[in-house]
Amino acid sequence: MNTVEAKRILETALICAHQPITVREMRTLFADQIGADSIKSMLLEMQEDWAQRGVELTQVASGWRFQSRPEMREYLDRLHPEKPPKYTRATLETLAIIAYRQPVTRGDIEDIRGVTVNSQLLKQLEDRGWVELIGHRETVGRPGLYATTRQFLDDLGLESLDQLPLLESAPDLVESMFDALQPGPETPGTEEIQLEIATTEVASTPPELPLAREASLPPVTQEQAGEPESLAQSSNENKL
């Protein structure tokens, strides 16, 4: 099979897929007769082929997919005038804290925001598929540890947490995290996301709290969940 035909098969599969497709799944299209490196090379060529179109081929956490470019959103919204769910500022602040400080407990979030976190707020994020309970901290009461999901990265059009914008400054911890999650040119969003800013006042960050870790650190696994002291470490404070 020549490259042109292989690219045609890949393109068809990606356009017809309802979810991102991994390279491993793409290999099954060719009965494993084409290697992963060759498929990745063809995917990069396809990205160039679609560079001038309103749809782009991109890699997200769950694999590869075609999606509309951010500048096309205002036109597509005319076909579907109904608005996606709006989220309060409290919800988005909580999501941002989890994204940058994961894994965190409900108590950690409350310490940063300076207010009590409603259990329904966390449930809303879990139901949306953006956060999940990955374990428990080995301390009194064994509080649950929350982290973001692949769905969270997919919905923001990101491949990994490394692509989250770095926090601008430590004194504005919560505000910076909140702003960093707004869809824009640096973090393209999909059509279904609309992060609305409510009028709730942002709680200031207590000065005694440790700084957030770098966004580029990999997610903590289930086995690592019992080591909360590592959260306070940062290899480069100038990026916060």
Side-chain angles (χ1 to χ4, degrees):
M1 181 182 298
N2 58 43
T3 301
V4 173
E5 182 64 17
K7 286 172 61 177
R8 183 184 179 196
I9 294 172
L10 283 177
E11 185 178 76
T12 302
L14 287 163
I15 290 176
C16 295
H18 297 291
Q19 300 291 336
I21 306 178
T22 65
V23 172
R24 178 179 297 181
E25 291 172 326
M26 294 179 200
R27 292 186 63 183
T28 64
L29 293 170
F30 310 101
D32 285 336
Q33 294 181 5
I34 297 181
D37 290 341
S38 296
I39 289 178
K40 290 178 181 177
S41 178
M42 286 187 285
L43 290 170
L44 294 177
E45 291 178 11
M46 289 169 60
Q47 281 185 318
E48 292 295 326
D49 295 341
W50 287 75
Q52 303 302 319
R53 304 185 186 182
V55 174
E56 62 183 349
L57 175 62
T58 186
Q59 184 176 13
V60 294
S62 299
W64 290 77
R65 73 181 180 194
F66 277 106
Q67 65 182 32
S68 62
R69 295 184 184 277
E71 59 268 25
M72 295 293 105
R73 174 181 293 181
E74 66 172 294
Y75 305 103
L76 296 176
D77 284 346
R78 296 171 186 174
L79 291 176
H80 305 284
E82 65 274 9
K83 297 298 182 180
K86 294 183 179 181
Y87 297 93
T88 65
R89 186 161 192 146
T91 300
L92 293 176
E93 285 175 3
T94 299
L95 176 60
I97 291 170
I98 295 173
Y100 282 96
R101 295 287 300 274
Q102 60 187 297
V104 293
T105 66
R106 179 174 171 177
D108 295 332
I109 299 170
E110 291 177 341
D111 287 341
I112 294 175
R113 294 196 62 239
V115 295
T116 301
V117 175
N118 190 312
S119 58
Q120 290 300 314
L121 187 152
L122 289 171
K123 186 178 185 304
Q124 181 184 28
L125 292 175
E126 288 185 280
D127 291 343
R128 184 62 181 79
W130 284 343
V131 304
E132 63 182 346
L133 193 66
I134 64 168
H136 295 82
R137 179 171 293 172
E138 295 301 327
T139 186
V140 179
R142 301 187 75 246
L145 288 166
Y146 291 91
T148 54
T149 64
R150 285 183 178 272
Q151 183 65 49
F152 165 75
L153 293 173
D154 287 350
D155 284 351
L156 284 183
L158 304 178
E159 182 181 351
S160 69
L161 291 173
D162 297 351
Q163 296 176 337
L164 281 174
L166 297 180
L167 302 182
E168 297 176 355
S169 57
D172 298 323
L173 178 60
V174 175
E175 188 71 26
S176 295
M177 286 192 293
F178 176 79
D179 292 340
L181 288 177
Q182 304 308 308
E186 293 77 22
T187 56
T190 58
E191 294 81 13
E192 63 181 8
I193 297 179
Q194 181 179 12
L195 303 182
E196 296 289 347
I197 301 177
T199 58
T200 308
E201 181 178 358
V202 180
S204 59
T205 306
E208 69 273 11
L209 288 179
L211 300 182
R213 65 173 181 82
E214 285 187 9
S216 59
L217 291 182
V220 175
T221 63
Q222 179 79 25
E223 292 74 21
Q224 296 171 317
E227 302 179 0
E229 63 274 9
S230 64
L231 295 175
Q233 298 177 353
S234 173
S235 61
N236 188 351
E237 294 183 359
N238 291 330
K239 293 184 178 181
L240 298 178

